[in-house]
Amino acid sequence: MPKKSAKQSESFRWITSEPDRDPFISVDAQRRLYFNAKARSLVGSDTVQIGYDIANKRIIVGAADVVRPANVKPHKIDKRGYASARPLINSVGLSDADLPLRYNYVGRDFSEYPDGAYAFQLMDDARAGEDGSL
């Protein structure tokens, strides 16, 4: 195998993967909710109830067998971690220009949410890239 010159080794480097350390939910440009593995593990179910706290910009999620709002159909998370975001987008009034969005887990000790619900806070827009990427 040929040796690499000093110039090549300075201009090229391997980058190690950093797994997501915290639970998060994103709303992508394809109008899907994505629950990372930590968020799916936290909620503990692939059938969930989803709510939205407009004032605090939070997605509220609970396992459908724990959180049972009246007359609300649960959402199904597929094996890859996706669920349709269309009901959320339509309910909140988001547009394609608003997407993508990322919501980080902030806890479950908020008295205004039902027991068994988890809160995910909208990530600060200033941390998003100029092109809208996260």
Side-chain angles (χ1 to χ4, degrees), residues 2 5 14 22 28 35 48 51 62 67 70 81 97 103 109 112 114 129-131:
S5 69
W14 293 104
D22 299 316
D28 66 19
F35 293 73
V48 297
V67 177
Y103 294 80
D109 56 348
E112 65 266 29
E130 288 180 17
D131 63 352

Side-chain angles (χ1 to χ4, degrees), residues 20-41:
D20 294 316
R21 294 182 208 117
D22 299 316
F24 73 85
I25 298 171
S26 63
V27 182
D28 66 19
Q30 287 76 36
R31 298 175 164 238
R32 299 176 298 187
L33 288 167
Y34 172 70
F35 293 73
N36 76 341
K38 298 253 180 163
R40 291 191 310 270
S41 176

Side-chain angles (χ1 to χ4, degrees), residues 28-106:
D28 66 19
Q30 287 76 36
R31 298 175 164 238
R32 299 176 298 187
L33 288 167
Y34 172 70
F35 293 73
N36 76 341
K38 298 253 180 163
R40 291 191 310 270
S41 176
L42 178 71
V43 175
S45 178
D46 61 354
T47 305
V48 297
Q49 297 290 3
I50 297 174
Y52 195 78
D53 178 343
I54 295 170
N56 295 306
K57 296 182 180 178
R58 291 183 184 142
I59 293 176
I60 311 305
V61 179
D65 61 343
V66 176
V67 177
R68 297 180 184 149
N71 302 318
V72 177
K73 292 181 182 178
H75 300 258
K76 180 80 172 148
I77 301 171
D78 71 17
K79 64 183 179 182
R80 299 172 304 146
Y82 289 103
S84 175
R86 291 183 196 306
L88 174 73
I89 290 168
N90 294 337
S91 177
V92 176
L94 297 172
S95 70
D96 289 343
D98 297 321
L99 305 177
L101 299 171
R102 181 173 168 146
Y103 294 80
N104 294 327
Y105 176 64
V106 291

